[in-house]
């Protein structure tokens, strides 16, 4: 028993020593800021969005391939081009990673990245004056904010948040000049279906980190627009077809009154099935308060309201019905036009509001 206890204690001490040694090695990889420079050190930033392969509206996730370019000055990496015979040295892949492991880098991280990259590559350029250019290309999943309140006429801003967690704004800041903006772009053709790329926007902001020091964050937003004509046929045409039952209820002869109630409830069931179809085919279209969800909800009320109006006109003894026989006909003629027109106008205003 004592021997077993001694072995267990020895293993625990060994594990603790390995953990301390590992953390010490990790700390040693954090290089000090380059010497001979004025703080804060400016890091030029640019980004290219090469592909958007997936956008999950309900989960708020986007699969993107991006290329990030950072450029800074490190006097310790300067060299004499007359001696080397070259004004610039380029390193790619494993060679670039080995070179970067022995020098200072900003340690830029993407705050809303939620998965390890499916693919990643890096390249490095060193100029004679000490200018260091690092280019990283990665394909990964990111957490993004999605607003479906204007579906299917929506525009989305897929924002990536970049920060240097090891260095405060007193040490490192992001900057962008005209060259950096010119190098930043988004692909014209996206892999994600029914989306069109519009622009790439950048916003710089300051925030206070865990140690109460100010940090600089750069937000790069890819603006994409949904190709709404694609959704006209699968969404609005079936919706209009189901709601056309109301015209039969308003215009059919009163001898068919016994058929109007079953048709109305059949239309309600068809509208419910249609809403489930929308949500399964276009996730978020019903569950995230879109104009389509509003019109479907209004459609339930509209069908029942039309049926009740028709029943009231036939069976209710409203004031003046017998004294003014023509009054029922006038009311019915007015309802036949005003009620459907009001419903259509409300739906159009809902769609128009989403387009503004």
């Amino acid at each position: 028993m004592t021997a077993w206890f001694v072995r267990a204690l020895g293993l625990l001490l060994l594990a603790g020593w390995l953990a301390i040694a590992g953390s010490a090695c990790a700390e040693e990889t954090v290089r000090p800021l380059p010497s001979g420079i004025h703080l804060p050190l400016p890091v030029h930033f640019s980004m290219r969005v090469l592909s958007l392969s997936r956008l999950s509206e309900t989960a708020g996730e986007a699969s993107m391939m991006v290329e990030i370019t950072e450029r800074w000055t490190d006097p310790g990496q300067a060299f004499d081009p007359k001696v080397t015979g070259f004004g610039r040295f380029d390193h790619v892949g494993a060679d670039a990673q080995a070179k970067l492991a022995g020098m200072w880098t900003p340690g830029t991280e993407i705050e809303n990245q939620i998965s390890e990259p499916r693919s990643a590559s890096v390249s490095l350029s060193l100029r004679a004056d000490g200018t260091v250019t690092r280019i990283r290309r990665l394909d990964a999943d990111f957490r993004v904010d999605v607003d479906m309140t204007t579906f299917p006429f929506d525009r989305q801003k897929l924002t990536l948040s970049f920060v240097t967690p090891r260095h405060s704004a007193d040490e490192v800041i992001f900057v962008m000049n005209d060259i950096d903006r010119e190098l930043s772009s988004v692909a014209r053709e996206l892999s994600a279906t029914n989306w069109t790329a519009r622009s790439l926007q950048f916003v710089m902001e300051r925030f206070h980190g865990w140690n109460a020091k100010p940090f600089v964050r750069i937000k790069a937003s890819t603006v994409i627009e949904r190709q709404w004509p694609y959704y006209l046929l699968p969404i609005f045409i079936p919706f209009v077809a189901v709601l056309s039952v109301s015209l039969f209820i308003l215009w059919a002869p009163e001898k068919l009154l016994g058929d109007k109630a079953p048709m109305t409830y059949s239309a309600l069931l068809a509208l419910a099935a249609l809403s489930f179809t929308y949500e399964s085919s276009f996730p978020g279209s019903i569950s995230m308060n879109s104009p389509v969800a509003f019109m479907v909800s209004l459609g339930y009320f509209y069908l029942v309201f039309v049926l009740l109006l028709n029943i009231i006109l036939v069976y209710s003894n409203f004031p003046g019905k017998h004294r003014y026989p023509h009054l029922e006909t006038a009311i019915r003629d007015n309802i036949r036009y005003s009620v459907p027109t009001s419903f259509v106008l409300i739906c159009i205003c809902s769609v128009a509001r989403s387009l503004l």
Side-chain angles (χ1 to χ4, degrees):
M1 187 69 179
T2 306
W4 179 86
F5 178 77
V6 172
R7 291 195 193 96
L9 183 60
L11 289 175
L12 289 175
L13 292 175
L14 179 62
W17 179 83
L18 291 175
I20 296 173
S23 61
C25 292
E27 291 177 357
E28 289 176 358
T29 60
V30 179
R31 304 285 175 174
L33 284 165
S35 59
I37 60 171
H38 296 285
L39 298 181
L41 172 64
V43 176
H44 289 262
F45 180 92
S46 63
M47 186 184 80
R48 291 198 303 152
V49 179
L50 305 177
S51 176
L52 170 66
S53 57
R54 180 182 67 93
L55 176 60
S56 177
E57 291 91 339
T58 53
E61 297 179 4
S63 300
M64 304 171 64
M65 177 178 286
V66 296
E67 184 181 89
I68 307 156
T69 301
E70 296 168 287
R71 188 175 72 255
W72 66 90
T73 300
D74 185 349
Q77 301 298 325
F79 56 89
D80 190 350
K82 296 180 180 179
V83 176
T84 61
F86 297 94
R88 186 184 73 184
F89 288 100
D90 296 325
H91 306 271
V92 180
D95 184 26
Q97 293 177 352
K99 186 70 176 177
L100 287 167
M103 58 184 293
W104 179 88
T105 63
T108 306
E109 296 181 0
I110 306 177
E111 291 183 301
N112 55 330
Q113 182 176 331
I114 59 177
S115 71
E116 292 296 325
R118 287 176 289 273
S119 63
S121 60
V122 63
S123 62
L124 177 68
S125 293
L126 301 175
R127 295 184 178 273
D129 60 355
T131 300
V132 180
T133 303
R134 180 179 63 173
I135 301 176
R136 292 182 294 161
R137 179 176 295 187
L138 57 92
D139 182 10
D141 296 331
F142 306 93
R143 183 76 62 192
V144 294
D145 293 329
V146 179
D147 184 8
M148 294 285 287
T149 56
T150 57
F151 173 87
F153 310 99
D154 52 327
R155 279 192 175 192
Q156 303 295 341
K157 295 178 67 174
L158 310 181
T159 302
L160 303 186
S161 179
F162 298 87
V163 67
T164 56
R166 297 201 306 255
H167 303 286
S168 65
D170 297 332
E171 298 176 339
V172 174
I173 59 171
F174 288 116
V175 296
M176 293 187 70
N177 56 21
D178 293 338
I179 297 177
D180 300 321
R181 294 186 182 91
E182 186 176 352
L183 292 175
S184 301
S185 63
V186 57
R188 292 182 177 273
E189 299 293 334
L190 302 177
S191 301
T193 57
N194 304 320
W195 289 101
T196 301
R198 289 303 179 190
S199 62
L200 188 61
Q201 303 173 355
F202 295 93
V203 174
M204 303 280 188
E205 66 177 24
R206 287 202 172 199
F207 69 99
H208 286 83
W210 62 271
N211 54 1
K213 289 185 177 181
F215 288 77
V216 175
R217 176 190 290 123
I218 183 168
K219 290 187 174 182
S221 301
T222 305
V223 181
I224 58 175
E225 184 178 59
R226 197 185 298 271
Q227 298 174 2
W228 60 266
Y230 167 80
Y231 297 88
L232 291 180
L233 183 61
I235 290 183
F236 294 102
I237 300 303
F239 178 76
V240 173
V242 172
L243 270 296
S244 64
V245 173
S246 63
L247 299 179
F248 173 82
I249 298 173
L250 292 172
W251 289 86
E254 296 310 319
K255 63 181 180 180
L256 299 177
L257 182 62
D259 297 331
K260 292 182 179 180
M263 289 189 65
T264 300
Y265 291 113
S266 297
L268 291 173
L269 291 176
L271 192 59
L274 194 62
S275 65
F276 283 109
T277 303
Y278 288 161
E279 186 62 25
S280 61
S281 301
F282 315 107
S285 59
I286 298 297
S287 61
M288 299 181 71
N289 195 28
S290 66
V292 176
F294 171 76
M295 290 190 296
V296 170
S297 300
L298 186 64
Y300 293 116
F301 172 78
Y302 170 69
L303 288 172
V304 175
F305 180 70
V306 168
L307 179 63
L308 290 177
L309 279 179
N310 190 77
I311 294 175
I312 290 173
L313 288 175
V314 174
Y315 293 107
S316 176
N317 189 18
F318 54 86
K321 180 177 182 179
H322 298 291
R323 185 174 182 180
Y324 305 100
H326 63 281
L327 185 61
E328 179 182 349
T329 303
I331 294 176
R332 185 179 301 279
D333 291 339
N334 180 272
I335 288 176
R336 284 172 173 173
Y337 291 100
S338 61
V339 173
T341 301
S342 300
F343 176 76
V344 171
L345 287 176
I346 292 174
C347 293
I348 292 176
C349 290
S350 174
V351 173
R353 178 178 174 272
S354 66
L355 292 173
L356 298 178

